[in-house]
Amino acid sequence: MYGWHLRILRVNLTNKKVTKEDVDPKFARDYLGGRGWAIHYLYNEMDPKADALSPQNILIFATGPLTATPAPTGNRYMVVTKSPLTGALAHSNSGGEFPTWMKRTGFDLFIFEGKADGPVYVWVNEDQVEIRSAAHVWGKQVPETTDRLKVETDPDARVACIGPAGEHQVLMAAIMNDKNRAAARSGVGAVMGSKNLKAVVVMGNKNPPLFNPDGMRDISVDTSKNVGIDVKKGSNLRIYGTAYVPQVTNTLGILPTRNFLQGTFEHTDKVDGVALKEQYLIKHVPCYRCPISCGRLTEVPDGPYKGKGEGPEYETISSLGTGCGVSNLAALTKANYLCNELGMDTITTGMTIAAAMEMYEKGYIPESAIGMPLKFGDHDAMIAMIKKMASREGFGEDLAQGSYRLAEKYGHPEIAVTARKQEFPGYDPRGSQGMGLLYATSNKGASHMEGDVAYEEVFGVPIKEDPLTTDGKPELVKHFEDSFALIDSSGLCVFLAIRYVFSKDRMVWPERLSEMMNLTTGAGYTPEEVMKAAERVYNLERLFLIKAGSGPENDTLPQRMLHEPLPDGPAKGKVVELDKMLPEFYKLRGWDEKGYPTKEKLQELGLPA
Amino acid sequence: MRIQIKLIANFRELLPPGSKNGIVELDLPNGTTVREAITRFDIPLDGSSVIVLNGLTVDLNTPLNEGDRITAFSAIEGGSTYRQGDDDVRLAPANPAS
Ligand code: SF4
């Protein structure tokens, strides 16, 4: 076989047993790789009802068939596990360099089981696998951990690790790789911390053999060329990174502002990509083999928020910035650096603080509980809260649970803007109806990366849709969810994939992507077959959700989205009309009217009925 | 009739010098449409641009009213198609919504 190594590394942290397993080629083809392979192992090997932070949970690192190939942006991996934040499924994506190095060890997947009896890290140098003590880096932040582990393994190795937040099993803890890249969402870092696994270090030279190396080279060069043409014309992602987006969402009235109390922010000019470029940008930084290069290396050169690192990205601006009513760009950038260093998801961190700010202002949480005033816009208080969260100190203990549990504890669950207990990303669905249906049905709780119809509703990529209508959204959401399951399984970055390896129709179609997968693996897929495989993956995840106790009853949105109309902006007066979309969505998915996959659908997909 | 044009991110370069925060004010005769107003700038009127009126998705032939704001930004990362052998860059077919 080509493309896939068809080998899995299994590390049992309890008994320190390391095993190497072969993968059945038919399974490999049917489940694509990455996210697809991983849900198969998660579904079959752990009890979905088990506590996510117990040794019964398993933690999977999964590369795709296009990872470590010449495909531009073939640099991704997925972290798949049961989420302690949502109590259901976590699958978080990251790029940088670690995933490519991981695949070059000669394994497609790493599976970590059990729990070590003290802090450890796992060092994988091709077939040589060691479980080493991490006592000396326990408590250390991400940059220092990364540097030290490279020194004691190989300076050319790559590191994925948790920071103090993951060690304290904070529910928004991320797994950071290459210092600044994050598999951020759903608390995957807390799971790693619960296993006493501080880091995974990888090194190797085993590039996967390609079925048609010349064809793969040509298609990769051509795809990069297409990107190059756009970049020459002026690509916003290259010039401003995702930080150009606040101006777009503010214009549409869907920029999360003050915990979604508003959809427009009066100081957007102070926290957008133009301001960031003028004030703090040093240079753009790409992930491995990426012609787009949307990452930003920035520096706040002096003053109280002095620091250097990557970001902020749009999703950080819309959470730690506008979400908290914060307009001080230096402080916001510093907050981003802190989250990276401590190892935390900026979206859930920011929106949890935003919920606490609203509750403080409404008098639902007394100042005595917090230890200081916590008003919207108070960037110093926000930074203080981030530090407390990472160490669960004082009020940080409450914040470390995320906004759903925080709001419930203080008697006001209506304040939490979450779906399946996960905080919303940066698109207010009252002004982008398709995103509302996506958040309500997403297998990992509220997330844009599960099937980002904002590409069409907001960005006009490839076709502009009216974001305020529900018409046609169920079919669009279903199609994007499946398309994103495919991208996440392939090993490509969404930013490139959606624009350059799918057709430019409203129903984007994976013509070039399936061709790339064929040139890599020799699997002979048709585009229809890869979409069917993606649907299989999506439905197996749904079965996991149902078994975990987060089934159709959780296909809903918080009160603010369903009953509190947006007070300002172009979407003023709108709520999410979920009941208009959900029944049709179920039907299109081949699920019954309650939202359970039908026997016929499962049989069609070859899943356990 | 006074209206505003706001251009986002890389489209800002198309604004006359001296415009603040990506915004320019224009004095236009009554009945001017979105399309007529935006053609004063070098913005591609096809699927590679997103053009909204007061934040709403509208037909480009919509007449403007006093105080309206047109906002435009590039969807260029997805707007172009290139086939091997093409010398010049071709743009995707016009946005059916416009
Ligand atoms: S587009 Fe951005 S996130 Fe994606 S691979 Fe390139 S640099 Fe990384």
Side-chain angles (χ1 to χ4, degrees), chain A residues 565-587:
Chain A
L566 259 170
D568 59 346
K572 185 175 172 175
K574 280 277 188 183
V575 294
V576 182
E577 297 178 89
L578 187 61
D579 50 356
K580 270 195 181 171
M581 299 183 279
L582 199 56
E584 194 187 334
F585 174 84
Y586 285 165
K587 218 163 136 192

Side-chain angles (χ1 to χ4, degrees), chain A residues 74-88:
Chain A
N75 58 47
R76 320 300 291 187
Y77 85 134
M78 297 289 292
V79 176
V80 180
T81 187
K82 179 171 178 180
S83 162
L85 182 71
T86 68

Side-chain angles (χ1 to χ4, degrees), chain A residues 8 75 146 207 214 231 233 335 383 394 414 518 532 539 586:
Chain A
I8 286 177
N75 58 47
T146 305
N207 275 317
D214 291 346
V231 166
K233 280 188 291 186
I383 287 175
E414 76 282 2
N518 288 337
K532 183 59 79 185
N539 276 270
Y586 285 165

Side-chain angles (χ1 to χ4, degrees), chain A residues 306-490:
Chain A
K306 188 172 164 18
K308 192 174 176 179
E310 280 187 38
E313 299 278 346
Y314 171 63
E315 290 294 340
T316 303
I317 297 172
S318 67
S319 47
L320 289 163
T322 63
C324 290
V326 163
S327 59
N328 183 317
L329 184 58
L332 159 59
T333 305
K334 179 70 178 180
N336 191 165
Y337 298 157
L338 277 172
C339 285
N340 287 353
E341 289 155 10
L342 298 165
M344 292 159 86
D345 169 23
T346 56
I347 300 176
T348 288
T349 300
M351 295 320 294
T352 300
I353 296 173
M357 286 172 161
E358 184 181 345
M359 288 195 282
Y360 168 78
E361 289 200 351
K362 290 190 163 147
Y364 302 158
I365 305 180
E367 194 172 316
S368 57
I370 302 171
M372 64 177 74
L374 188 60
K375 284 199 172 133
F376 281 123
D378 185 342
H379 46 266
D380 287 324
M382 177 179 80
I383 287 175
M385 290 303 127
I386 294 172
K387 293 178 181 162
K388 283 177 188 286
M389 276 165 107
S391 56
R392 289 184 176 262
E393 176 208 328
F395 186 60
E397 180 67 44
D398 287 343
L399 291 170
Q401 308 292 330
S403 57
Y404 181 89
R405 294 167 181 84
L406 174 80
E408 211 165 48
K409 172 170 175 178
Y410 287 93
H412 288 275
E414 76 282 2
I415 302 292
V417 182
T418 57
R420 285 193 164 79
K421 301 184 188 164
Q422 175 153 273
E423 288 67 18
F424 280 26
Y427 306 89
D428 191 319
R430 287 170 291 185
S432 49
Q433 296 286 323
M435 293 301 275
L437 178 60
L438 173 69
Y439 296 168
T441 58
S442 156
N443 284 336
K444 63 167 163 176
S447 165
H448 54 308
M449 298 312 284
E450 189 84 353
D452 198 352
V453 289
Y455 273 109
E456 299 202 0
E457 290 194 319
V458 177
F459 299 106
V461 177
I463 302 288
K464 181 77 170 77
E465 284 272 323
D466 185 348
L468 294 180
T469 178
T470 57
D471 294 347
K473 295 301 164 64
E475 61 168 356
L476 194 66
V477 169
K478 181 215 176 260
H479 186 71
F480 267 64
E481 284 174 346
D482 290 347
S483 301
F484 275 58
L486 169 60
I487 298 169
D488 284 345
S489 300
S490 75

Side-chain angles (χ1 to χ4, degrees), chain A residues 47 58 130 148 153 186 246 259 337 360 472 514 554:
Chain A
D47 173 7
I58 63 174
E130 290 174 45
R148 285 177 70 164
T153 52
S186 317
N259 198 35
Y337 298 157
Y360 168 78
S514 53
N554 286 343

